[in-house]
PDB file of all heavy atoms in Angstrom:
ATOM      1  N   SER W  11       1.837  -8.551   9.071  1.00 95.00           N
ATOM      2  CA  SER W  11       0.364  -8.537   9.105  1.00 95.00           C
ATOM      3  C   SER W  11      -0.166  -8.296  10.516  1.00 95.00           C
ATOM      4  O   SER W  11      -1.262  -7.764  10.685  1.00 95.00           O
ATOM      5  CB  SER W  11      -0.209  -9.827   8.527  1.00 95.00           C
ATOM      6  OG  SER W  11       0.029 -10.915   9.400  1.00 95.00           O
ATOM      7  N   GLN W  12       0.607  -8.643  11.530  1.00 94.00           N
ATOM      8  CA  GLN W  12       0.195  -8.399  12.918  1.00 94.00           C
ATOM      9  C   GLN W  12       0.137  -6.907  13.243  1.00 94.00           C
ATOM     10  O   GLN W  12      -0.440  -6.504  14.246  1.00 94.00           O
ATOM     11  CB  GLN W  12       1.145  -9.113  13.878  1.00 94.00           C
ATOM     12  CG  GLN W  12       1.094 -10.618  13.746  1.00 94.00           C
ATOM     13  CD  GLN W  12       2.168 -11.308  14.571  1.00 94.00           C
ATOM     14  OE1 GLN W  12       2.721 -10.744  15.508  1.00 94.00           O
ATOM     15  NE2 GLN W  12       2.449 -12.549  14.220  1.00 94.00           N
ATOM     16  N   CYS W  13       0.718  -6.100  12.373  1.00 95.00           N
ATOM     17  CA  CYS W  13       0.699  -4.635  12.555  1.00 95.00           C
ATOM     18  C   CYS W  13      -0.458  -3.995  11.795  1.00 95.00           C
ATOM     19  O   CYS W  13      -0.546  -2.763  11.720  1.00 95.00           O
ATOM     20  CB  CYS W  13       2.021  -4.032  12.075  1.00 95.00           C
ATOM     21  SG  CYS W  13       3.457  -4.578  13.005  1.00 95.00           S
ATOM     22  N   GLY W  14      -1.324  -4.807  11.181  1.00 96.00           N
ATOM     23  CA  GLY W  14      -2.476  -4.269  10.460  1.00 96.00           C
ATOM     24  C   GLY W  14      -2.168  -3.815   9.046  1.00 96.00           C
ATOM     25  O   GLY W  14      -2.941  -3.066   8.449  1.00 96.00           O
ATOM     26  N   VAL W  15      -1.026  -4.227   8.510  1.00 97.00           N
ATOM     27  CA  VAL W  15      -0.634  -3.885   7.141  1.00 97.00           C
ATOM     28  C   VAL W  15      -0.196  -5.165   6.429  1.00 97.00           C
ATOM     29  O   VAL W  15      -0.055  -6.216   7.053  1.00 97.00           O
ATOM     30  CB  VAL W  15       0.513  -2.837   7.119  1.00 97.00           C
ATOM     31  CG1 VAL W  15       0.062  -1.529   7.740  1.00 97.00           C
ATOM     32  CG2 VAL W  15       1.760  -3.359   7.807  1.00 97.00           C
ATOM     33  N   LYS W  16       0.028  -5.055   5.116  1.00 96.00           N
ATOM     34  CA  LYS W  16       0.489  -6.203   4.336  1.00 96.00           C
ATOM     35  C   LYS W  16       1.869  -5.912   3.757  1.00 96.00           C
ATOM     36  O   LYS W  16       2.178  -4.765   3.413  1.00 96.00           O
ATOM     37  CB  LYS W  16      -0.465  -6.483   3.175  1.00 96.00           C
ATOM     38  CG  LYS W  16      -1.835  -6.944   3.598  1.00 96.00           C
ATOM     39  CD  LYS W  16      -2.709  -7.170   2.384  1.00 96.00           C
ATOM     40  CE  LYS W  16      -4.121  -7.494   2.794  1.00 96.00           C
ATOM     41  NZ  LYS W  16      -5.027  -7.520   1.643  1.00 96.00           N
ATOM     42  N   LEU W  17       2.659  -6.969   3.626  1.00 96.00           N
ATOM     43  CA  LEU W  17       3.956  -6.851   2.971  1.00 96.00           C
ATOM     44  C   LEU W  17       3.734  -6.728   1.474  1.00 96.00           C
ATOM     45  O   LEU W  17       3.044  -7.547   0.869  1.00 96.00           O
ATOM     46  CB  LEU W  17       4.803  -8.095   3.264  1.00 96.00           C
ATOM     47  CG  LEU W  17       6.153  -8.181   2.549  1.00 96.00           C
ATOM     48  CD1 LEU W  17       7.085  -7.077   3.025  1.00 96.00           C
ATOM     49  CD2 LEU W  17       6.784  -9.549   2.770  1.00 96.00           C
ATOM     50  N   TYR W  18       4.285  -5.690   0.868  1.00 96.00           N
ATOM     51  CA  TYR W  18       4.236  -5.536  -0.589  1.00 96.00           C
ATOM     52  C   TYR W  18       5.493  -6.134  -1.201  1.00 96.00           C
ATOM     53  O   TYR W  18       5.434  -6.912  -2.138  1.00 96.00           O
ATOM     54  CB  TYR W  18       4.105  -4.056  -0.964  1.00 96.00           C
ATOM     55  CG  TYR W  18       3.998  -3.825  -2.452  1.00 96.00           C
ATOM     56  CD1 TYR W  18       2.797  -4.051  -3.110  1.00 96.00           C
ATOM     57  CD2 TYR W  18       5.089  -3.399  -3.199  1.00 96.00           C
ATOM     58  CE1 TYR W  18       2.689  -3.858  -4.485  1.00 96.00           C
ATOM     59  CE2 TYR W  18       4.984  -3.195  -4.561  1.00 96.00           C
ATOM     60  CZ  TYR W  18       3.788  -3.423  -5.203  1.00 96.00           C
ATOM     61  OH  TYR W  18       3.690  -3.233  -6.564  1.00 96.00           O
TER      62      TYR W  18
END
Side-chain angles (χ1 to χ4, degrees):
S11 71
Q12 295 172 20
C13 297
V15 297
K16 294 179 186 172
L17 175 66
Y18 182 78

